[in-house]
């Protein structure tokens, strides 16, 4: 039985249907890359799995570890081991990095968490989590906190455009850390290099998965459509 099984979900926000019969499943320990053009519904799917406010499921079901979680609140899903790293990295003024990392999980070693995301503890542990940090540093610190939670499913939503806050290699390193912990990762990314290391990939178009399977084949299919991928109703398994 898969760890995450999404069956035919429909999600509407303000009368607009953002997910339209979306089906996706992920095994335990699987790294699954999610591709798709801007506005396809990738972030909406991430928020819907996490149970964020406004992203309720109107039909279909989301099962996590044998349990239907449609009606669970965000903190209940977090307790089951689902976690989401936002597109925009955190910025909490007035809290030190050490406190930010340990408040969620007392007993963890904040130095170890920082090292795992490539930040030197002596330089960062006692700094404040504020505007003096670069976007990339804040993103790393956020990922360190996600690793510290030791999630069973980590959803990583990479920014759609603009400046990349983390290099492909940084993201690969973080995924390797999740793999070590046996976590499953749903990875929303535009970087081909990253998609390649996933176990499976899916292409999302207008709120539906149109193609799922071998990452290299999904990328090839996406590229072959060069932007017009959402104009046809494909449903194939590669
Ligand atoms: P992606 O992450 O694939 O770029 P999103 O999930 O962010 O796509 O958005 C999917 C569609 O839903 C877009 O057309 C977007 O404008 C719309 N959308 C996102 N959030 C809301 C909202 N809160 N209210 C209305 N429409 C929204
Ligand atoms: Mg998005």
């Amino acid at each position: 039985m898969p760890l995450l099984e999404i069956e035919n979900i429909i999600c509407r926000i303000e009368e607009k249907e953002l997910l339209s019969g979306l089906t996706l499943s992920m095994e335990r320990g699987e790294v699954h890359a999610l591709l798709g053009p801007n506005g396809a519904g990738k972030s909406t799917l991430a928020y819907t799995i996490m149970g964020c406010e406004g992203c309720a499921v109107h039909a279909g079901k989301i099962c996590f570890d044998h349990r239907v979680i449609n009606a669970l609140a965000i903190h209940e899903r977090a307790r089951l081991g689902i976690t989401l790293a936002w597109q925009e990295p955190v910025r909490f003024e007035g809290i030190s990095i050490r406190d930010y990392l340990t408040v969620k999980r007392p007993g963890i070693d904040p130095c170890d968490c920082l090292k795992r995301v490539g930040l030197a503890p002596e330089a960062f542990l006692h700094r404040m989590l504020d505007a003096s940090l670069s976007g990339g540093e804040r993103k790393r610190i956020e990922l360190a906190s996600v690793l510290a939670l030791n999630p069973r499913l980590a959803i990583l939503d990479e920014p759609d455009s603009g400046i990349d806050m983390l290099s492909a290699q940084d993201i690969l390193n973080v995924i390797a850390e999740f793999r070590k912990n046996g976590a499953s990762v749903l990875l929303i990314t535009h970087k081909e290099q990253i998609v390649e290391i996933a176990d499976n990939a899916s292409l999302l178009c207008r709120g539906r998965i149109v193609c799922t399977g071998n990452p290299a084949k999904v990328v090839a299919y996406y590229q072959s459509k060069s932007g017009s991928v959402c104009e046809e109703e494909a449903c194939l398994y590669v």
Side-chain angles (χ1 to χ4, degrees):
M1 173 118 187
L3 177 68
L4 176 72
E5 201 160 27
I6 301 174
E7 266 178 48
N8 216 10
I9 54 167
I10 292 179
C11 174
R12 284 185 214 104
I13 298 179
E14 292 166 7
E15 306 295 304
K16 194 172 163 192
E17 195 167 283
L18 302 186
L19 302 178
S20 312
L22 185 144
T23 293
L24 179 74
S25 99
M26 280 177 67
E27 297 296 331
R28 277 156 226 280
E30 175 179 338
V31 176
H32 196 113
L34 188 64
L35 299 164
N38 279 349
K42 303 182 297 296
S43 295
T44 303
L45 175 61
Y47 302 151
T48 303
I49 298 170
M50 191 69 237
C52 297
E53 189 137 353
C55 292
V57 172
H58 294 90
K61 62 181 179 181
I62 304 179
C63 293
F64 183 77
D65 196 18
H66 309 276
R67 181 171 171 187
V68 178
I69 60 164
N70 288 27
L72 296 191
I74 187 165
H75 65 275
E76 294 170 309
R77 298 185 199 204
R79 215 176 288 142
L80 292 180
I82 304 175
T83 184
L84 170 64
W86 310 92
Q87 273 198 343
E88 284 296 316
V90 285
R91 188 179 290 185
F92 291 128
E93 306 289 331
I95 177 171
S96 73
I97 291 171
R98 183 183 175 284
D99 289 347
Y100 172 69
L101 291 175
T102 52
V103 75
K104 288 185 183 171
R105 185 162 270 233
I108 63 124
D109 176 357
C111 293
D112 181 55
C113 294
L114 288 172
K115 282 186 209 153
R116 288 165 77 190
V117 295
L119 293 176
E122 57 281 11
F124 287 92
L125 197 59
H126 298 292
R127 273 181 73 176
M128 302 302 276
L129 190 58
D130 61 17
S132 70
L133 296 163
S134 73
E137 287 165 348
R138 279 185 290 122
K139 190 80 200 171
R140 280 171 200 250
I141 290 159
E142 184 192 15
L143 289 170
S145 82
V146 173
L147 281 167
L149 288 170
N150 200 8
R152 299 170 69 201
L153 172 65
I155 307 166
L156 305 181
D157 192 359
E158 236 197 293
D160 295 322
S161 57
I163 310 149
D164 281 333
M165 281 178 288
L166 293 176
S167 70
Q169 191 55 52
D170 287 332
I171 297 169
L172 293 176
N173 292 344
V174 170
I175 293 168
E177 293 292 330
F178 281 117
R179 276 199 195 271
K180 265 190 225 163
N181 291 354
S184 303
V185 182
L186 180 62
L187 183 71
I188 301 170
T189 184
H190 292 278
K191 297 188 178 74
E192 245 177 81
Q193 245 174 302
I194 295 171
V195 178
E196 276 169 17
I197 63 97
D199 302 303
N200 283 300
S202 292
L203 176 58
L204 183 57
C205 259
R206 285 188 301 184
R208 305 184 67 153
I209 299 292
V210 294
C211 179
T212 193
N214 176 284
K217 289 184 179 166
V218 173
V219 170
Y221 176 75
Y222 188 23
Q223 288 176 341
S224 73
K225 298 290 164 186
S226 60
S228 64
V229 66
C230 285
E231 280 156 28
E232 56 188 272
E233 282 294 322
C235 183
L236 51 139
Y237 293 84
V238 291

